[in-house]
Each structure stands twice: as structure tokens, then as C-alpha cells.
Amino acid sequence: MTEHVHAVHPEPDMVQLLTPEGQRVEHPDYPLQITDDEIAALYRDLVLVRRIDTEAIALQRQGELGLWASLLGQEAAQIGAGRALRTQDMAFPSYREHGVAWCRGVDPLVLLGLFRGTNLGGFSPYDHNFNLYTIVIGAQALHATGYAMGVMRDGAVGTGDAERDTAVLAFFGDGASSQGDVNEAFVWSAAGNLPIVFFCQNNQWAISEPVTTQSRVPLYRRAAGFGFPGVRVDGNDVLASLAVTRKALDDARNAQGPMLIEAFTYRMNPHTTSDDPTRYRLADETETWKLKDPIARVKAYLTRQAAVSHDFFDDVERESQALAEHIRVGCRALPNPTPESVFDDVFCDMPDELREQRDEFVAFVGSIEEVTA
Amino acid sequence: MSEEPKTPVTMAKALNDGLRKAMEADAKVVIMGEDVGKLGGVFRITDGLQKDFGEHRVIDTPLAESGIIGTAVGLAIRGYRPVCEIQFDGFVFPGFDQIVSQVAKIHTRSAGLVKMPITIRIPFGGGIGAVEHHSESPESYFAHAPGLKIVSCSNPSDAFWMIQQAIASDDPVIFFEPKRRYWAKGAVEDAPTPLHTSRVVRPGSDLTIAAYGPMVTTVLEAASVAADEGHDLEVIDLRTLSPLDMPTILDSVRKTGRLIVVHEAWRNVSISSEIAARVQEKAFYSLEAPILRVTGYDTQYPPSRIEEEWLPNVDRILDAVDHSLSF
Amino acid sequence: MADIKQFKLPDVGEGLTEADILTWHVAVGDVVEVNQILIEVETAKAAVELPSPHAGLVIALHVAAGETVDVGTPIISIDAAPGATVRDSPAADAAVAAPPARQPVLVGYGPRTETTARRRSRTETVTPSAHAAFNVPPPDVESVDAPPVHHAPAHRVLAKPPVRMLAKSLGIDLGTVAPTGPNGTVSREDVAYAANGGAPGAPAAARGVRETRIPIKGVRKHMAAAMVSSAFTAPHVTEFITIDVSATMQLRDRVAARREFRDVKVSPLLFVAKAVLMAAKRTPEINGTWDDQAGEIVLKHYVNLGIAAATDRGLIVPNIKDADAMSLLELGQAIAELTATARSGKTLPADMTGGTITITNVGVFGVDTGTPILNPGEAGIVAFGAVRRMPWVVTAADGSETIEPRWVTQLAVSFDHRLVDGQQGSQFLSDVAAVLTDPGLALL
């Protein structure tokens, strides 16, 4: 097994506003006005999102989910980006952005249905301006691009009206940056000067393939080849992620065109719950990244600043327990879909032949006394 | 403002008029594809539309079929009604994943909450003396997928009306245009027929022949020759390939007892395979003869110099008629 | 009251159906919380910690460190409501539903490993039947711009393809057959009934009924047309010969006793057929046809030998293809099969076309001879009469004559005088006669 040392050394050109030790630092391009209360709120987001992830893994181990794609280690990248979005902005996730879903107000139980096998998505993109999870790698980059084309044609770019100007945030990973669709999205966005921000979570691994398999250059520099700016942020730094994404989205809203943000982070857990990372990476790599934990640094900052009350961390922990219970109970109660539903949502206008098949299927399922679950 | 044409027009003009009407009727309709704007399309189907509706609504896209379809998905999510043009049948495949993995699935994935009112126009078929990849008939790949609707016009009147109906449909429609018939002329009827219905274009009593797209003209020619030989053929223009209009097909087969299906597409696992399966299931007791198929052979499309014999033609169709009647 | 929960070993997401127990992290009597690590198990690849789905008091550990345990085996019991006083219904509460053993994959639960080689019980039978073929879909009432309602137009007769074929082979128009099959279809029995003249047997004429009228249809109709066409197109000449076939009859006995002929009926007809085949070689015109349309006489270099057969429905003439290439044994088998098929009414149309020369065995009726009518398109037909014991003049080697009882039969050949002249017809007949009189001549 080849050694992967790139993930261990500190990276140059990386925007960082909060060090792993919890020290606030400044960056000339990304001034951040933020209060301690707001940072505390981000801490709460981070803890609760990590708890969702932990519970989901346990549920999978208990046979309640078929699989789970863990975001352990990537919480800061996602909360920072998610909290930078305005209500009217639209986010296009892949399938690991549970932290962004949290920020958009999507109930975590709704996400579980896809992994449990009770639905194929389970929510309306219009409810929270958060698109359904897209499993085909990179496909959503084009959907986001098309959506941005629509935003432009609606005249919702560069008006100066903060409530109206709209940006699109497209998420994908380091592996996806090799896909044709992602590159085509870059082409179209640049050519059209579209109001879109591409947020690439480079968590160093695409299942078993390190990012060096995908690209010879750091991913943020790819944008230059297409004609728009790219920036790398410390993906484990929620403040940097927030500041950079906020600026990028504002620029997009103001008709400055697309931007690529590479959130440099690490996939602490396996690709999904049935993956075995011991086959392709060394444990000490994970150990090194533990030292850069996104939540620990925020806690350290808040503690050092005496920015929160004694009870604050306990309150968050209590809230996390309640959320966990909600998820455990709710997951087990998720209902199986009805037989008709398989047919009812194929078309807006159901053809006769399909209706006949549906009736046949419904009758068949109804005639079996012990349906296979 | 355009009016419905009364004098015979070419299919290309009929499509142009239909697209224009659709653009006028709904401001959310946008046309997108390679060379559709300034050039007006390599077949001039979108001629003049960018001038009248602007670059925002008639979009010259980058050369990327996956991009055309994928961005259409995004536009649809945003509430638009995109009409994509794929320049030639053989070039749809880079966009195949977005079509079958996204366009076909999103309505289901979203439990009916997101619509994909996308029309994908594809000039298809051979007989134009073209080089490789420009004479394909890939309709079967798409008809196989749930979530897509597939239609094909055979004449200018259907072209004019069906393109508007396809655009108005909230379901995704793949619209196959027979490019060898783009310059054929015909009068446009005053009113449309429902989109997903087949039409008996020549009533008859001895045998039913079903065809679609470019082959409808060829089959009608064969029927005329057959009439001289004393055989009265009933010709059906299928128009809708998925869903199929089985009642029209079955009524005809129950009347004549014999069926032949004709298309340029390869024989193996084709639209005719599906029709034969369904007809023998539903009209088993009515069949005087086995269902026959006159199709392209299961080879790559030939070099254009010998395409006329490879494609179904009047002789091959009449041989099948004779064969069917011999039972 | 006590609320005992059992935790069964789940699939651990590493693609296995069993695991080794490594270390318990809890003991009986411990109070555990949800998701507290209970146990470490070893899979083929790594150690996996299992979190508890329940909070409560550990009542029992069911497996020990070092054991190998199948997925689905209970490993621990936890009382979720400890401190209960009443001991009533024992443990078995709804245990944590352990999932069925499945091989997990990267993207989901994985395939099921249990087999379902049985039919599950059903509440009602929902099997489509043949009657579904007659369903006409109801009109689509919801669609506003639906076309006018499709009523199935008056359709032509309904019949399965094999029934259609049977009708065709018998020359029956399905449209005239009364259908008694399900849903108005014509059945095989309907066709057979119609072929019998619409009656199971000839009705006994009651006294006082002066006439019985039988519709002219089916086989009879076709046969009549064929005969008329033949009789009034080809000028028929019939020649006769009476021969002593004793030698053939003795040969017949010897051949029938042979092992290879054990299962074949070795009748005199078989030898007549062989003689006809041999003679036709010498007089090819008798095996030809007069093609008026093309203006040609066609001499055929093969013999498709027709054997006239009487069936319930009338006379049919199936033929044996390429009879001239067959051995005696093959010919015997072919004749037997042809006869059996004809008797059971299953002769195919293809068997009745393409004949080149025919034999009609009037002898089975005890009749001596006749003036047979040519099968249309053929140039010769041989009538083979009854084989009788008759007085015959036998000349000894020294020239003296005696009268002896011999096996005697009459042969007649009618030929198409347009292409077979008298000399040829006579030659053919005498050649047949010669072989049957002295079978040894076949060696020449």
C-alpha cells in the first residue's frame, strides 16, 4: 500500500480563521464579523449534526438502515456553507450533506428514509430550497447550473435587492471533480457567468482512491482553467467555511459569476457503513486528523473566551440526547411505501397500460398473506 | 404573430411554427441546443426564433449533450419548460445518463413533487446519404425506461400539433423527428389529435400494417401498390411509441386478423418486439398469421451507398404482406 | 413490570453471517444506556463494537468470549423496566427484530441469503386466465380530450392458431362453423363436428322421411372438385392385366418373418408399391405431369408415391415423399405411418400435395379391378385388386400344362394419354406385372 502523506502536512493557500487549537486568526480577503453568540450557535449545529451521524451509524448496526454515508469530520465544512445560504438560495447536495440539510431545516428523519429503503428521497426541494440527494456522482452539478440559468432568466441576479438576488450552491466531492458532468458544469457556468458557487468537499478519499488519483493539481486551482476563481479553505474550520462561502454567494448574487470553493477536510469514517478503510489507508492518518477536529476547536475557543455559561455545553448535550431519541424512535416508525405509490409517481399523467400493471401488482401484493419485508 | 398555416408546408416549417406557437403561449418555454440560435439549427427547424424571442429563450449551448440535458433538469426545477435539441440521433448518448438517471426518475424520486416538463427533440432515421452516427433510430433505448414518454411524427400536420402538445405535457417527452421527411409537404389540420393516440391513416380489411416516423410514407406507398395487386391494407401511424395506443392497434388486428410492424430501427428488442408481444397476448384468438416485422437488420447502419436495401422499402414490405397472406 | 429485551447479533456491515465474540464490555447486573458499547466482536477483517439499542439492566449474557456466533443469535437480555415486582409472563417480549440474515453491500442491506423455494399462502386466487384475452379496456373517462369510446368492432371469427390450421387442412371455412368454445371461440371439436357434415354420424332415416340432405362441404366438396377437374381435363386410358403373384406372396411371408420387419405390416401392397416405383424408372412419363400453362411436360426425377386412403370424411391421397429412395423396410414404415395418420384424421395438407403417381388399393374391398381416376396433376394411377386363389394354367419344364390354384390378382393403370402413349402405358404395366410375377427380376 502506497503511503499518503499529503493529508498530513499543513496546506498552503488555505483560508483559516480558527486554528485547530481554537485560536481566532484573520485573513485579509475574508474579514468575518461574528459574535460569540453566533459562534456558540454554530457549535450547537456542529454537535447536533455529529449526533445525527452517530445515531444513524448505530441504527445501521442494528439493522434499521441498509447503509449510512457518514459525514464525521466534515461537519464544519457543511455547517459553515449551510449557514452562509440565504432563504431564497438553492442548494444541490450529493448524498452526504446531512449538515447542510440541517441548516436548511430538513428533519433528519426525512433523510433516513432513503437509507432505510422506505423512500427514494422523501422531501420536496421547494420546502427548504434543498434539492433531493443525488446518488449519480456529479450529476447535480449540472442541475445546479441549469437552476442558476433559470435564476438569471428570472432577473434575480444583481438587482441589489438582498431578498431577491439568488445564488445556487452546488456540493460535490473530490471524486466527482473527475466526472464529465462536473466539468461541463464548470464550462457552462463560466460561459454564462452564472450565479453559482461550487463547493467541493475534498475529504481526501473517493471510497478507496486518494485525491491524487483524481487530480494532478490542487482542486481549487482547476477553476482557473475554466476561467473563474477558486479558493481553498480549511474544511475543518467552520468560521472559514462560513466566511468564504458567504462572500462567494454574495458575489454570485451580484452577477460576479461562479466560484469554486475547495473545503480541505477528511472523511474520518468509511465511505459508507459497509466499507473497510483498513484495506486502503493507515490508521495513523485518521489519528492525525483527529487533532484537527472541527468541534473541539470551537469548544476550545468558547471555553477560553468564557463566551458561554456553565450550563451551555450541558444544555447542548441534553439537546443532543433528545435529538438522538427522536431519531431512534422515528426511524423505527418510518412506514413502508404502499404498492400503489411505486406506480403513482412515475408520470404526471398515467398511461392505461401502467394503470393495468398497477392494478395487477396491488392485487398480487394484497393476495399474499405474509409479504416479504 | 403566427397563424396556423393552411397551405401545404414542409415538416421543417411546421415544426418551426409549432415551436413558435409554444414559445408565444408560455413565457417559461426555452429552446436550447447546439447551433439552435444564430444558425437556426442545422436543419433550420429553429430558424428565426432567437431573433424574435431573444438569446435568453433560444440558447446556443456549449457543445456538451450531458450539459444540455442536465441544465434542462435544473431549469425545470426552477419552473421552466425546456425544449432541448440533440443535433443528431447518434449524439444523444453522452446525454443518456442524464435522461434515464435524472429526467426519467426525478418525478418518482420526489414522490411527485418535482415535475420534469422537458421536451427532447431528436432528428432520427436514415435515408439521407449521411456518414456514420447520423442515421440512427435509438427510440427503443428510451421506450424501455419508465418515466419517459416517446412520440414520433410522420407528417407536417402532426409535427405542428404534436410538438406543442409535447411541450405542454408535464411529463418528459422524447420527440423523434424523421429527418428524411423534413422537406416533405403537407397541409396542417385545424385541430390536434390527442398526443398519445395512434391513427388509422388508411382503412383496410385484409391486413394491418403499423409504422411510425419516416416509415409511414413508405408503408402508404406499399399499400397503394398492394391495392393494385388486390390486397386492401389498413395502415396505422403509431405516433406514440411509449405509451402505446393498444386499443387502436387491437381493434384493427381483431378486424383484419393480420399484423405487420415496420420501422428503420434494429429488429432485436425493438418497438415491434413489444407490439408483437402485447398483440399476441391480447388478440391471440384473432390471429390468422404470425405477426411479422420489417425492420432494419441487426447490424450497424450501413455505408450510405447501400442504405436503400438495408432500410425497409416497398418491396420488402410487400414481400411481408405476401408472406402474411399465405397463412 | 419487567420488560425484557433480547438483542440478537445483527449483520455488522462487513459482509458476514457470523462473528467471533471477543470481549464483553458489560456484565450481568450492569445498568447500560442506549448506544453504550456492549461487546466487541471480530469479523474476518476487523473488530467491531456493537452499541446497545436499549437502556436498562443487563439480565443475562447468552454467549461467551471465544465463541463463534451466527447472525440472529440472541447475545444479551436487557430488562428495560427493572425493579418490577410482579413476575408474570416470562421473558419473551417483542425482541429487537433482528434483521434476516443478509450479505450487506456497500450500498445497502445486501441480498437475502434465505431461500424461498415454496409458494406462500394466498388470501385469494388472482391468476389471470385465458379469458383475459377478451378484455376490451374501458374508455378513459378522466381524460377530457379522449377519443370517442372504442367499442370492439364486429370482429371476424375467433380461434386459436392450431384450430385455424386444422380447419384449413380440412378445407373448412371457419366462418361457417358454429363456435362452442369459451367466449365465442371456435374449438377443435367444433371443426371436427363441421367436417363430419355437422352430424356425429349419419342419422337413421325414420320411416316416412323421404330424403336426407347432406351439405356438400369439406373434404367431399374438395374431392369432388378434384375428380371433376381430373376426369375432364386429362384423357384417361385404362389398361388391365391379370397376374399370378404366388411368388410375391411367398416372398412376403419370408420378409415378414425377418427380424427387422417385425414391427412393420408387410402387406402385398408394399410389394406392389415397390414394383410401381421400379417400373416408373423405366417409363418416366408415367411419373410426369402435363403443364398446360407452361406448355411443358415435366418429368420428375423423384417419386412422391400417393396411396389412396379411405377416411371417415372421404377419400384422401397422402403421398410418401421420395419413395423411390427408400428401402423396402423404409417404404413399409412409411406406408404404415401414412395409413395410421390418415385414419386418425391428422393428415397435413403438405402430405397431400406434390404427389407424382398414385396406387389405389381396391382389393381391400374385395374388388378385382376398376378404372381409377387420375389424381389431378399426375399422369398415372394404379389400381391393385384383391388377391384371390384362382385356377391357373401352369406350364411345366417339359411343356406339359396343368391347372393349379395360384394367388392371382388384377392390376389396372389409368394414364394421361396426352403425355403417356399406349406403348409406354403398356410397358409400365407389364413391368409392374413382371416384378410381381417373378420378384427375382428386381435384382436385374
Side-chain angles (χ1 to χ4, degrees):
Chain A
M1 181 167 25
T2 54
E3 297 209 10
H4 304 294
V5 294
H6 61 278
V8 180
H9 293 166
E11 290 301 315
D13 302 332
M14 198 165 71
V15 176
Q16 187 180 72
L17 300 179
L18 187 68
T19 69
E21 297 73 28
Q23 208 78 29
R24 272 299 304 271
V25 293
E26 298 292 318
H27 192 289
D29 297 335
Y30 296 100
L32 181 62
Q33 311 290 348
I34 189 164
T35 67
D36 284 346
D37 280 348
E38 286 166 334
I39 296 179
L42 291 174
Y43 172 83
R44 174 182 165 276
D45 283 336
L46 292 165
V47 169
L48 295 182
V49 162
R50 179 168 287 184
R51 191 60 192 262
I52 293 167
D53 196 70
T54 309
E55 288 306 313
I57 295 170
L59 285 166
Q60 192 279 335
R61 290 274 184 266
Q62 290 154 7
E64 299 295 339
L65 298 179
L67 80 165
W68 179 253
S70 168
L71 53 45
L72 185 69
Q74 298 172 227
E75 299 89 345
Q78 295 188 16
I79 299 297
R83 289 301 177 198
L85 288 162
R86 288 184 183 264
T87 313
Q88 73 271 23
D89 293 338
M90 182 70 169
F92 284 81
S94 65
Y95 50 79
R96 203 187 293 276
E97 279 70 35
H98 323 309
V100 184
W102 170 260
C103 294
R104 296 261 87 188
V106 179
D107 185 335
L109 275 184
V110 164
L111 299 176
L112 291 186
L114 186 154
F115 297 96
R116 182 171 168 83
T118 54
N119 67 43
L120 296 172
F123 58 92
S124 166
Y126 301 117
D127 284 349
H128 302 288
N129 278 346
F130 183 75
N131 193 40
L132 290 162
Y133 278 179
T134 299
I135 293 172
V136 173
I137 301 294
Q140 71 279 4
L142 281 175
H143 305 164
T145 303
Y147 192 92
M149 289 167 68
V151 165
M152 267 193 44
R153 279 152 178 80
D154 289 341
V157 180
T159 67
D161 179 351
E163 306 296 307
R164 179 176 170 74
D165 285 342
T166 303
V168 181
L169 190 55
F171 291 88
F172 57 89
D174 44 288
S177 71
S178 296
Q179 277 280 359
D181 281 3
V182 169
N183 287 275
E184 289 186 25
F186 288 171
V187 165
W188 287 61
S189 299
N193 201 50
L194 298 177
I196 183 167
V197 176
F198 294 102
F199 194 96
C200 174
Q201 288 166 79
N202 177 5
N203 64 14
Q204 313 305 320
W205 293 98
I207 308 185
S208 69
E209 295 187 355
V211 66
T212 48
T213 301
Q214 312 299 345
S215 180
R216 211 164 129 162
V217 302
L219 293 178
Y220 74 98
R221 281 204 237 145
R222 297 271 305 281
F226 290 90
F228 57 93
V231 61
R232 174 178 276 181
V233 313
D234 178 350
N236 283 21
D237 174 354
V238 67
L239 300 186
S241 180
L242 174 65
V244 173
T245 309
R246 195 179 268 169
K247 170 114 186 357
L249 289 170
D250 281 342
D251 285 348
R253 275 188 222 100
N254 291 325
Q256 298 305 301
M259 167 99 121
L260 171 63
I261 300 173
E262 178 193 355
F264 199 85
T265 178
Y266 192 78
R267 195 197 72 206
M268 297 295 285
N269 270 345
H271 169 70
T272 62
T273 38
S274 296
D275 180 33
D276 178 13
T278 64
R279 295 173 68 91
Y280 53 82
R281 68 187 190 187
L282 296 173
D284 68 352
E285 188 178 277
T286 317
E287 292 306 309
T288 310
W289 276 87
K290 274 187 186 163
L291 301 173
K292 307 185 203 191
D293 183 73
I295 299 181
R297 62 177 83 179
V298 180
K299 184 167 189 181
Y301 169 84
L302 291 172
T303 308
R304 195 178 304 115
Q305 296 293 104
V308 292
S309 72
H310 278 297
D311 301 325
F312 172 74
F313 295 114
D314 290 340
D315 288 344
V316 170
E317 180 55 28
R318 227 183 328 272
E319 198 184 347
S320 152
Q321 299 278 37
L323 177 60
E325 180 69 8
H326 167 71
I327 286 169
R328 284 195 294 269
V329 170
C331 177
R332 294 190 165 96
L334 286 173
N336 279 352
T338 62
E340 308 81 79
S341 66
V342 174
F343 291 82
D344 289 342
D345 298 329
V346 176
F347 291 114
C348 295
D349 185 11
M350 190 188 300
D352 289 338
E353 287 272 346
L354 195 60
R355 187 170 295 118
E356 281 173 35
Q357 282 191 28
R358 179 192 66 180
D359 294 343
E360 194 186 299
F361 182 61
V362 169
F364 174 76
V365 174
S367 77
I368 300 285
E369 290 190 332
E370 0 128 15
V371 177
T372 308
Chain B
M1 176 165 125
S2 62
E3 282 189 334
E4 285 147 39
K6 303 280 188 239
T7 55
V9 291
T10 63
M11 182 184 289
K13 180 76 169 63
L15 286 166
N16 188 271
D17 290 336
L19 287 166
R20 179 177 291 276
K21 292 218 63 159
M23 298 275 280
E24 286 167 355
D26 183 352
K28 292 298 197 183
V29 175
V30 297
I31 293 176
M32 51 200 293
E34 294 154 21
D35 306 295
V36 298
K38 198 176 219 103
L39 181 65
V42 292
F43 291 106
R44 305 293 182 270
I45 308 298
T46 53
D47 197 27
L49 294 177
Q50 190 183 63
K51 182 169 66 66
D52 293 338
F53 292 97
E55 285 178 7
H56 269 210
R57 291 190 67 194
V58 182
I59 306 166
D60 278 325
T61 66
L63 211 171
E65 282 76 15
S66 190
I68 294 170
I69 309 295
T71 54
V73 168
L75 278 162
I77 296 175
R78 182 69 184 181
Y80 283 82
R81 203 163 272 268
V83 181
C84 302
E85 176 177 304
I86 298 294
Q87 200 160 77
F88 284 94
D89 38 71
F91 301 136
V92 71
F93 299 105
F96 191 75
D97 177 54
Q98 285 284 347
I99 294 173
V100 300
S101 297
Q102 309 300 336
V103 174
K105 290 188 195 258
I106 284 178
H107 192 68
T108 300
R109 189 183 304 153
S110 68
L113 297 168
V114 179
K115 295 186 184 166
M116 290 280 110
I118 299 174
T119 303
I120 301 173
R121 295 178 40 242
I122 305 181
F124 84 122
I128 60 164
V131 291
E132 205 185 356
H133 306 293
H134 293 72
S135 308
E136 309 290 305
S137 293
E139 50 276 16
S140 210
Y141 294 112
F142 301 98
H144 189 57
L148 298 174
K149 293 190 170 169
I150 320 293
V151 301
S152 182
C153 55
S154 72
N155 60 79
S157 182
D158 275 342
F160 174 75
W161 289 112
M162 286 171 72
I163 188 64
Q164 295 177 66
Q165 291 167 316
I167 293 170
S169 170
D170 282 345
D171 287 318
V173 178
I174 312 229
F175 193 91
F176 282 100
E177 301 170 359
K179 64 174 95 72
R180 75 192 285 190
R181 306 293 178 211
Y182 271 157
W183 302 280
K185 287 194 174 173
V188 173
E189 285 161 21
D190 287 338
T193 320
L195 182 61
H196 297 296
T197 57
S198 302
R199 188 193 291 130
V200 176
V201 293
R202 185 191 188 282
S205 56
D206 293 344
L207 183 157
T208 302
I209 299 198
Y212 59 89
M215 284 291 109
V216 175
T217 301
T218 311
V219 166
L220 285 169
E221 287 166 2
S224 162
V225 175
D228 292 339
E229 294 173 356
H231 301 309
D232 186 31
L233 308 186
E234 177 150 296
V235 178
I236 296 180
D237 181 354
L238 288 168
R239 297 176 0 117
T240 178
L241 309 182
S242 182
L244 288 167
D245 177 5
M246 288 314 296
T248 301
I249 299 170
L250 289 169
D251 280 352
S252 178
V253 173
R254 289 188 181 113
K255 181 173 80 165
T256 67
R258 294 166 206 274
L259 177 63
I260 297 175
V261 187
V262 181
H263 54 58
E264 290 188 13
W266 302 315
R267 179 172 310 172
N268 193 34
V269 197
S270 58
I271 303 291
S272 61
S273 310
E274 183 61 27
I275 293 175
R278 293 195 202 182
V279 168
Q280 64 86 34
E281 187 188 336
K282 295 281 169 75
F284 183 66
Y285 287 100
S286 298
L287 291 172
E288 298 273 355
I291 298 166
L292 301 177
R293 305 182 285 162
V294 184
T295 66
Y297 295 94
D298 290 320
T299 71
Q300 300 302 336
Y301 196 87
S304 64
R305 288 274 175 162
I306 58 166
E307 66 183 342
E308 287 307 320
E309 302 312 332
W310 189 93
L311 291 168
N313 50 50
V314 166
D315 294 295
R316 283 177 58 198
I317 293 169
L318 291 174
D319 282 354
V321 170
D322 289 343
H323 187 46
S324 177
L325 290 171
S326 76
F327 281 84
Chain C
M1 55 196 66
D3 181 18
I4 311 293
K5 308 274 195 207
Q6 249 187 9
F7 183 32
K8 295 181 185 165
L9 182 69
D11 60 84
V12 293
E14 300 294 331
L16 299 137
T17 53
E18 63 180 29
D20 298 332
I21 308 300
L22 282 186
T23 322
W24 276 110
H25 288 235
V26 299
V28 173
D30 285 354
V31 173
V32 296
E33 296 173 357
V34 169
N35 282 354
Q36 180 174 341
I37 301 301
L38 295 174
I39 190 173
E40 206 172 335
V41 303
E42 171 139 338
T43 70
K45 300 172 203 170
V48 177
E49 294 174 336
L50 299 184
S52 177
H54 302 293
L57 181 71
V58 177
I59 298 293
L61 306 182
H62 300 301
V63 298
E67 279 184 49
T68 301
V69 168
D70 288 339
V71 168
T73 307
I75 57 174
I76 188 172
S77 286
I78 294 171
D79 186 351
T85 51
V86 182
R87 281 184 182 239
D88 45 340
S89 46
D93 200 89
V96 176
R102 298 174 75 156
Q103 296 274 84
V105 295
L106 192 68
V107 292
Y109 297 101
R112 296 170 197 282
T113 50
E114 69 217 9
T115 59
T116 48
R118 58 180 177 89
R119 294 184 81 158
R120 292 169 291 174
S121 58
R122 311 284 286 272
T123 56
E124 65 195 50
T125 319
V126 191
T127 326
S129 71
H131 301 276
F134 300 95
N135 288 348
V136 176
D140 180 10
V141 295
E142 293 166 83
S143 160
V144 176
D145 53 338
V149 169
H150 271 285
H151 293 295
H155 44 58
R156 55 182 29 200
V157 66
L158 302 175
K160 287 197 241 199
V163 173
R164 292 182 186 277
M165 188 173 73
L166 175 67
K168 193 165 287 186
S169 73
L170 297 176
I172 289 172
D173 176 1
L174 273 178
T176 64
V177 177
T180 68
N183 291 89
T185 57
V186 174
S187 70
R188 208 180 261 281
E189 290 69 33
D190 293 336
V191 170
Y193 187 77
N196 260 331
R207 193 73 218 168
V209 174
R210 307 284 286 174
E211 287 178 356
T212 299
R213 293 200 144 249
I214 300 163
I216 298 168
K217 49 195 299 183
V219 175
R220 181 162 304 282
K221 184 173 178 184
H222 280 242
M223 219 54 235
M227 277 186 243
V228 165
S229 145
S230 177
F232 298 107
T233 306
H236 284 54
V237 170
T238 309
E239 295 190 0
F240 305 87
I241 193 169
T242 306
I243 50 176
D244 170 6
V245 293
S246 305
T248 293
M249 296 304 277
Q250 282 160 18
L251 175 61
R252 190 214 80 88
D253 292 337
R254 287 204 300 282
V255 169
R258 290 179 68 83
R259 194 202 298 137
E260 63 267 30
F261 282 87
R262 191 175 38 208
D263 297 320
V264 181
K265 179 166 182 229
V266 184
S267 65
L269 173 63
L270 175 57
F271 295 89
V272 171
K274 197 66 176 161
V276 164
L277 290 168
M278 292 174 62
K281 271 206 179 59
R282 274 191 49 165
T283 308
E285 288 78 4
I286 201 96
N287 190 51
T289 194
W290 180 270
D291 187 344
D292 212 49
Q293 214 169 20
E296 290 164 345
I297 293 169
V298 184
L299 301 180
K300 305 206 176 131
H301 304 302
Y302 58 91
V303 180
N304 290 348
L305 180 66
I307 309 280
T311 70
D312 293 339
R313 296 184 201 92
L315 185 73
I316 61 170
V317 188
N319 61 74
I320 298 165
K321 306 281 193 273
D322 295 301
D324 56 314
M326 291 182 177
S327 66
L328 194 68
L329 176 59
E330 288 164 342
L331 192 57
Q333 289 163 339
I335 291 176
E337 196 187 308
L338 177 153
T339 313
T341 306
R343 215 168 270 145
S344 66
K346 290 192 162 40
T347 306
L348 300 171
D351 295 340
M352 294 191 285
T353 56
T356 60
I357 190 170
T358 299
I359 300 175
T360 175
N361 188 0
V362 302
V364 299
F365 301 112
V367 166
D368 287 324
T369 192
T371 52
I373 298 180
L374 290 164
N375 209 14
E378 293 177 15
I381 180 167
V382 176
F384 170 44
V387 179
R388 299 181 193 290
R389 293 298 275 175
M390 296 282 276
W392 195 261
V393 176
V394 176
T395 309
D398 61 1
S400 60
E401 296 179 341
T402 49
I403 307 276
E404 289 180 19
R406 306 285 279 190
W407 288 108
V408 174
T409 187
Q410 292 195 45
L411 298 171
V413 62
S414 295
F415 51 87
D416 181 343
H417 212 332
R418 292 176 297 179
L419 69 150
V420 179
D421 60 28
Q423 188 257 327
Q424 288 161 336
S426 306
Q427 164 112 332
F428 169 77
L429 185 58
S430 81
D431 284 346
V432 176
V435 171
L436 291 170
T437 305
D438 185 359
L441 288 177
L443 289 169
L444 300 174

